Amino acid sequence: THQWRGIIEEYRDRLPVSDTTPVVTLREGGTPLVPAQVLSERTGCEVHLKVEGANPTGSFKDRGMTMAITKAKEEGAKAVICASTGNTSASAAAYAVRAGMVCAVLVPQGKIALGKMGQALVYGSKILQVDGNFDDCLNLARGLSENYPVALVNSVNPFRIEGQKTASFEIVDALGDAPDIHVLPVGNAGNITAYWKGYKEYAADSVSTHTPRMWGFQASGSAPIVRGEVVKDPSTIATAIRIGNPASWQHALAARDESGGFIDEVTDREILRAYKLLASQEGVFVEPASAASVAGLLKAAEQGKVDKGQRIVCTVTGNGLKDPDWAVAGAPQPVTVPVDAAAAAERLGLA
Ligand code: F0G
């Protein structure tokens, strides 16, 4: 009869809250860690998927947003603002509803998936489409939060990182120790920063015996960290990670170097291949950006960088239903049949 209480209640002693903090929650976290059979076979490793699309608004952002909105509420904020490629805005909008706050979101015009736009609308946020990319939106949001009475809830807000680090706790709690390798998609680089912080905290307190190597993957058209320079006009079908100047760039480099990991890129083609594999072979439907982690693992395996027998966790960050265009694109149209069992059986190859 006990349900998961949300990350703040589950990990209260490891988060910056007190007995009087007004917790704003949708009972996020507690997401499935799913053994990946086909990926394990292909790599000769024990691969698990941390399925973050199972969160209340369909992405990992909810872990950070419960903390950010809770702290904004505690500090008396009446309104919050964020820049987003779609998931942060969906999450901010939902938690703002719970907190009774106004939520303003800035999104790059024409570059966010329909499901995410639908979320921002139905949760009742104030949406501005900006004639620019995500990096422009973030600059605008920062400026507005500095000059107007509105709290910024992007991952430059340290409470976001605090909330998101709980995913590492859940993984160690489930596996009994840290994995050998942790693989993530990288966009604005907040999540890799958060996971690394979580793993370090558990290791420092001897909850785990070690920390994993952190492997991050950017989309080739939006790979500033890999290139070592800002990408002025980022492009990729994985709109969630279409980012040319990540806010947590330096933290991502620290996670990479302190953990002995690396940050590499995957092409849109590799992302789509992993996207289809995850759904059709593992039964896990994710959005394209989320498939970048798995695409990266497969690329690394093909390059001989993955020693056999290791325990690997790939975070798949968002739900496939947010951006189903890529599931439908290129797929054959289902055939239409009359209301007739014989005809249906024949079409299904049963007859
Ligand atoms: N995967 C998904 C589905 C995302 O939405 C994001 C980021 C990432 C991966 C990358 O995470 O930025 O912490 O490195 N989405 C942000 C947004 C930018 O606005 O929703 P990151």
Side-chain angles (χ1 to χ4, degrees):
T1 62
H2 278 292
Q3 79 154 320
W4 178 266
R5 295 167 297 169
I7 60 128
I8 294 180
E9 291 308 340
E10 296 292 338
Y11 293 107
R12 180 170 268 281
D13 55 337
R14 293 181 176 278
L15 293 169
V17 289
S18 75
D19 291 347
T20 57
T21 303
V23 175
V24 181
T25 182
L26 286 162
R27 311 237 170 185
E28 57 297 309
T31 55
L33 186 65
V34 178
Q37 296 168 350
V38 170
L39 291 172
S40 295
E41 261 168 47
R42 285 229 191 150
T43 56
C45 290
E46 179 192 316
V47 181
H48 301 260
L49 302 169
K50 184 65 169 161
V51 183
E52 290 290 278
N55 274 296
T57 78
S59 85
F60 70 95
K61 305 289 182 179
D62 295 343
R63 294 179 184 278
M65 212 52 78
T66 184
M67 272 304 310
I69 301 276
T70 289
K71 295 304 280 189
K73 179 106 184 153
E74 184 170 55
E75 287 154 17
K78 298 276 183 286
V80 294
I81 190 167
C82 66
S84 184
T85 55
N87 282 324
T88 298
S89 46
S91 186
Y95 284 82
V97 168
R98 302 290 298 189
M101 288 180 197
V102 172
C103 178
V105 310
L106 305 178
V107 298
Q109 205 250 321
K111 297 293 181 189
I112 88 164
L114 182 61
K116 302 174 188 180
M117 180 60 89
Q119 288 182 290
L121 287 165
V122 80
Y123 291 132
S125 65
K126 294 180 187 248
I127 309 169
L128 295 180
Q129 301 201 73
V130 177
D131 183 13
N133 60 33
F134 169 83
D135 306 288
D136 301 317
C137 292
L138 184 54
N139 286 335
L140 204 50
R142 282 196 210 240
L144 287 164
S145 72
E146 279 158 22
N147 296 305
Y148 297 90
V150 62
L152 186 66
V153 293
N154 279 105
S155 57
V156 293
N157 177 327
F159 298 122
R160 281 277 311 278
I161 304 299
E162 289 299 307
Q164 286 172 216
K165 77 183 180 186
T166 59
S168 297
F169 299 163
E170 288 177 22
I171 289 162
V172 175
D173 291 346
L175 297 177
D177 204 344
D180 300 306
I181 299 168
H182 192 109
V183 192
L184 284 162
V186 174
N188 212 26
N191 213 27
I192 192 170
T193 302
Y195 271 80
W196 181 234
K197 187 167 196 287
Y199 280 126
K200 279 195 297 187
E201 287 182 12
Y202 255 18
D205 293 341
S206 303
V207 183
S208 59
T209 65
H210 65 280
T211 53
R213 279 168 281 150
M214 303 298 293
W215 291 5
F217 291 91
Q218 302 194 288
S220 291
S222 308
I225 299 177
V226 179
R227 299 288 145 75
E229 60 185 24
V230 171
V231 174
K232 284 249 152 52
D233 192 12
S235 74
T236 168
I237 59 116
T239 52
I241 53 172
R242 186 173 167 273
I243 294 174
N245 187 14
S248 296
W249 190 322
Q250 293 308 319
H251 296 299
L253 294 182
R256 177 194 72 185
D257 297 340
E258 290 170 23
S259 75
F262 63 80
I263 296 177
D264 194 9
E265 63 189 273
V266 284
T267 64
D268 282 359
R269 188 183 294 260
E270 289 168 326
I271 288 172
L272 284 176
R273 213 189 300 143
Y275 169 82
K276 287 182 184 148
L277 181 151
L278 278 167
S280 66
Q281 312 271 320
E282 302 286 4
V284 176
F285 184 27
V286 304
E287 64 170 288
S290 306
S293 58
V294 171
L297 174 62
L298 291 172
K299 178 181 175 184
E302 275 159 31
Q303 292 174 331
K305 290 182 184 165
V306 183
D307 295 334
K308 301 222 183 302
Q310 298 188 89
R311 192 178 251 183
I312 301 173
V313 175
C314 294
T315 298
V316 284
T317 44
N319 195 301
L321 294 172
K322 285 178 173 268
D323 191 6
D325 286 2
W326 292 101
V328 179
Q333 273 278 110
V335 295
T336 303
V337 296
V339 188
D340 180 87
E346 192 198 317
R347 284 299 192 163
L348 292 169
L350 300 171

